[in-house]
Amino acid sequence: MKANVKNIFVEGAIAPEKIAQSIAAHQAKTGIGGHCLFLGQVRADEVAGKTVTAIDFSAQREMANQVCHQIKEKAFAKYPIHCMHIYHSIGTVKTGELCFFVFVSAAHRTDLAQALDKIVQQIKAEAPIFGKEIFDDQSHQWKENKY
Amino acid sequence: MKANVKNIFVEGAIAPEKIAQSIAAHQAKTGIGGHCLFLGQVRADEVAGKTVTAIDFSAQREMANQVCHQIKEKAFAKYPIHCMHIYHSIGTVKTGELCFFVFVSAAHRTDLAQALDKIVQQIKAEAPIFGKEIFDDQSHQWKENKY
Amino acid sequence: MTQRTLTYYGKLAELTGKSKEEITTEAHTVGALKDRLIDRYPALKKVSFKLAQGQAIADDKDLLTDTNIDVFPPFSGG
Amino acid sequence: MTQRTLTYYGKLAELTGKSKEEITTEAHTVGALKDRLIDRYPALKKVSFKLAQGQAIADDKDLLTDTNIDVFPPFSGG
């Protein structure tokens, strides 16, 4: 793996405190005027009378990290972004907990929300991550992303 | 003021911990699948050799709250949003600190970033809030938003 | 002649040297009151400003319906 | 005949009953290996799957250049 390819994976749920720390870490970067964050949260979807209680995430981690690195490089080339951070859960995340966190920062707001949306969409489409939805009766189904 | 019109104003900077608390408060809402957040941060802009050290925000608070309430109502009617929160600083916010926080949540990601961007743009254009940029030599200039 | 309370915000409080004042004027429309204010404070000619009444921005052709009028420079929140 | 190590992910580990296996095959292209896998696991005929080598998704016409091949169901992160 290339030295500058970062590990996006976090064991279990992403804590709101981690998000606060990530935000606070940008206070020294006084060229930044705006941040946009996307957070994915596990929904208690109902399927045929059963309710999702958690998602168990697995991945081909090395490729997922590589793919996210490339998505970041392309976004930096396309948008005037100062900072970009991507985190995704691995393992079990309960309903209501956070499993995905994408964070972009720039001097100005223009295009920032659009850039965030594109990056989130690309990660969902291109990163080899797999979600297994666990129901309240311990049965499961494999999550499918709709675009 | 109508009973359901919320106060958007926070004295001084918005703490990252407040953002974490706001995120954590949504964990019980298990129909939510995604959150999008915008954070405004005070930039250390340079003007003619002087550097911005803080922005002092004032407002016509009652009208600003009313305007944000209407922006929320329109957004709820237009987008399938579950939750929406708006906070803005009043008083002094130093460079690197946060002065503006808009938070939208929905079952699915579709249109969420776009809705956030529209709401942020409307607040900046329609809410009577005024920023006075304080320079390092104690002189000041009045902030102007560019769209 | 009607007495109205004007509240100046941001840069306009600086330009007029006051945050609030009462004036008695024959102006019946927002546009007429704006002209009256430019006469009173020539510095206002060079800046963009808007009036609001009842917690809403008013157009120049609107009738003045409130005794409390807010005088706003361009908004710069966010 | 070349020996390759296949790694199955997510739903495909469940369908094939294994997460990793070594197979020896005459397939030179990604498409040929996919056909070979469908012969081996008829359940794969009904699902969408992709192969990756060298940390990148491979097209059917690509030559197999790596001994380690990942077998992926549709991605569902986020």
Side-chain angles (χ1 to χ4, degrees):
Chain A
M1 200 187 296
K2 279 191 274 175
N4 57 346
V5 173
K6 286 196 182 145
N7 174 36
I8 68 164
F9 291 104
V10 172
E11 291 291 332
I14 298 168
E17 293 72 26
K18 180 185 173 67
I19 295 163
Q21 285 160 16
S22 200
I23 293 166
H26 290 75
Q27 301 211 343
K29 302 193 177 183
T30 56
I32 290 174
H35 308 282
C36 255
L37 287 70
F38 177 80
L39 304 172
Q41 182 168 309
V42 175
R43 273 195 317 274
D45 279 352
E46 279 198 35
V47 181
K50 298 185 290 185
T51 305
V52 171
T53 59
I55 297 182
D56 187 19
F57 287 102
S58 56
Q60 208 280 37
R61 296 193 193 201
E62 189 176 344
M63 178 170 157
N65 286 329
Q66 187 77 43
V67 163
C68 287
H69 178 74
Q70 287 157 359
I71 289 169
K72 282 166 78 170
E73 296 284 298
K74 273 186 280 179
F76 276 124
K78 184 170 179 186
Y79 300 100
I81 294 172
H82 282 219
C83 287
M84 192 181 335
H85 304 282
I86 299 168
Y87 299 100
H88 198 292
S89 294
I90 194 95
T92 303
V93 182
K94 286 182 240 163
T95 53
E97 293 183 330
L98 303 172
C99 60
F100 188 29
F101 172 27
V102 182
F103 188 174
V104 292
S105 310
H108 299 276
R109 200 189 89 252
T110 319
D111 294 340
L112 196 58
Q114 192 197 332
L116 176 69
D117 195 54
K118 283 271 160 58
I119 293 162
V120 167
Q121 192 177 335
Q122 285 169 2
I123 296 166
K124 291 175 76 123
E126 297 170 24
I129 302 173
F130 312 99
K132 183 177 167 181
E133 296 174 322
I134 315 293
F135 292 111
D136 44 5
D137 67 352
Q138 304 306 314
S139 65
H140 71 266
Q141 74 175 13
W142 290 90
K143 181 171 179 270
E144 289 191 13
N145 285 345
K146 296 167 197 85
Y147 301 97
Chain B
M1 199 188 296
K2 280 192 275 177
N4 58 346
V5 172
K6 287 197 182 145
N7 173 36
I8 68 163
F9 291 103
V10 172
E11 291 290 332
I14 299 168
E17 293 71 27
K18 180 183 172 68
I19 296 163
Q21 284 161 15
S22 199
I23 293 166
H26 290 76
Q27 301 211 343
K29 303 193 176 182
T30 55
I32 290 174
H35 308 282
C36 254
L37 287 71
F38 177 80
L39 304 172
Q41 182 168 308
V42 175
R43 273 194 318 273
D45 279 352
E46 279 197 36
V47 180
K50 298 186 290 185
T51 306
V52 171
T53 60
I55 297 181
D56 188 19
F57 287 103
S58 56
Q60 208 281 37
R61 296 194 194 201
E62 189 176 345
M63 178 170 156
N65 286 328
Q66 188 76 45
V67 163
C68 287
H69 178 75
Q70 287 158 359
I71 289 169
K72 281 165 77 169
E73 296 284 298
K74 273 186 281 178
F76 276 125
K78 183 168 180 187
Y79 300 101
I81 293 172
H82 282 219
C83 287
M84 193 180 335
H85 304 281
I86 300 169
Y87 299 100
H88 199 291
S89 293
I90 194 96
T92 302
V93 182
K94 285 182 241 160
T95 54
E97 292 183 330
L98 303 172
C99 59
F100 188 29
F101 172 27
V102 183
F103 188 175
V104 292
S105 309
H108 299 278
R109 200 189 91 252
T110 318
D111 293 339
L112 196 58
Q114 192 198 331
L116 176 68
D117 195 53
K118 284 270 160 58
I119 293 161
V120 167
Q121 192 176 334
Q122 285 169 2
I123 296 167
K124 291 176 76 123
E126 299 170 24
I129 302 174
F130 311 98
K132 182 177 167 181
E133 296 174 323
I134 315 291
F135 292 111
D136 43 7
D137 66 352
Q138 304 306 313
S139 66
H140 70 265
Q141 74 175 12
W142 290 90
K143 182 171 179 270
E144 289 191 12
N145 285 344
K146 297 169 195 82
Y147 300 100
Chain C
M1 300 294 275
T2 310
Q3 178 169 303
R4 302 194 191 272
T5 303
L6 304 179
T7 309
Y8 300 98
Y9 289 86
K11 183 170 60 174
L12 299 186
E14 223 170 67
L15 284 180
T16 61
K18 53 194 72 159
S19 59
K20 208 182 261 281
E21 71 176 330
E22 307 214 332
I23 67 165
T24 302
T25 169
E26 76 301 335
H28 286 301
T29 65
V30 167
L33 179 56
K34 285 173 80 175
D35 291 342
R36 177 83 183 75
L37 289 175
I38 290 170
D39 291 343
R40 195 174 176 88
Y41 302 106
L44 290 183
K45 198 174 285 184
K46 285 174 268 169
V47 303
S48 159
F49 70 101
K50 288 179 180 174
L51 304 190
Q53 56 185 352
Q55 316 303 343
I57 293 294
D59 288 334
D60 281 3
K61 61 179 193 320
D62 289 351
L63 291 175
L64 292 166
T65 54
D66 209 309
T67 54
N68 293 301
I69 306 290
D70 291 320
V71 189
F72 291 141
F75 301 162
S76 56
Chain D
M1 301 292 277
T2 310
Q3 180 168 303
R4 302 193 190 273
T5 303
L6 303 180
T7 308
Y8 300 98
Y9 289 86
K11 182 170 62 173
L12 299 186
E14 223 170 68
L15 283 180
T16 61
K18 54 194 70 159
S19 59
K20 207 181 260 282
E21 71 175 330
E22 307 215 332
I23 67 165
T24 302
T25 169
E26 76 301 336
H28 286 300
T29 66
V30 166
L33 179 56
K34 284 172 82 174
D35 290 341
R36 178 83 182 72
L37 288 175
I38 290 169
D39 291 343
R40 195 174 175 91
Y41 303 105
L44 291 182
K45 198 173 286 185
K46 286 174 269 170
V47 302
S48 160
F49 70 101
K50 286 178 181 175
L51 304 191
Q53 55 184 354
Q55 316 302 344
I57 294 294
D59 288 333
D60 282 1
K61 63 179 188 323
D62 290 351
L63 290 176
L64 292 166
T65 54
D66 208 307
T67 53
N68 292 301
I69 306 289
D70 291 320
V71 190
F72 290 140
F75 302 162
S76 56

